[in-house]
Amino acid sequence: VGPPVIDAAGPATQLHHLLGAALVALLLMGCAPAFAPLPLAVLGGIILSAAAHLCDFRRGWRLLRLHKRDFSMWLTALLGTALGGVTEGLLLSVGLSLMLLLLETSRPPFFVLGLVPGTNHYRSVRHYNGLEEEEGVVVCSFGGPII
């Protein structure tokens, strides 16, 4: 994701983003004295106007319906940044992301498997009916690394 103007133009390569970032940096360095006499409220309005296009609330509400963990990440980043600042929002988001990553990797999905009659294929007993299970033997599958 680059500057909104460049994104709206539909850049074809990463070079467009690099050139756009360089142009924004040059403009900020060259035009900084012009912004100095403006009151902070005006500068805040400019920043809020630009940031309003960066908040995608439709995607956030869609995440609420589809994937609650991703919604919690989105909401944490939004509220952390809005209420605490960029650094605090970033720290909260990265912290929650690491916590969720550890939670998911420490508890991989576990499936008991049964033999599909007439074949040598095994499927999850929880998802398929009529599977054969050998008495005294449990065939299982882990959906992640075994640490």
Side-chain angles (χ1 to χ4, degrees):
V1 177
V5 173
I6 293 175
D7 284 340
T13 66
Q14 292 296 322
L15 184 60
H16 287 88
H17 292 292
L18 184 64
L19 291 174
L23 180 64
V24 168
L26 285 173
L27 284 173
L28 287 175
M29 289 190 301
C31 297
F35 292 117
L38 290 175
L40 288 178
V42 172
L43 294 175
I46 293 170
I47 291 171
L48 286 176
S49 173
H53 298 288
L54 299 176
C55 295
D56 191 355
F57 290 104
R58 286 185 195 173
R59 183 172 293 166
W61 297 126
R62 185 170 176 240
L63 283 174
L64 178 62
R65 286 182 284 128
L66 298 177
H67 201 269
K68 303 259 190 274
R69 281 192 179 165
D70 286 346
F71 176 75
S72 70
M73 289 293 304
W74 177 81
L75 191 62
T76 300
L78 178 71
L79 293 177
T81 304
L83 299 176
V86 173
T87 304
E88 290 79 5
L90 187 62
L91 288 174
L92 275 172
S93 299
V94 169
L96 181 62
S97 177
L98 288 174
M99 186 180 73
L100 290 176
L101 176 69
L102 287 173
L103 198 73
E104 285 183 18
T105 57
S106 66
R107 292 190 281 169
F110 173 80
F111 300 103
V112 175
L113 304 177
L115 184 65
V116 177
T119 69
N120 60 353
H121 298 286
Y122 286 87
R123 298 289 183 253
S124 171
V125 174
R126 188 173 16 165
H127 297 113
Y128 294 92
N129 295 325
L131 299 177
E132 298 173 357
E133 293 183 65
E134 190 172 331
E135 195 170 317
V137 176
V138 177
V139 180
C140 59
S141 171
F142 289 96
I146 301 174
I147 299 174

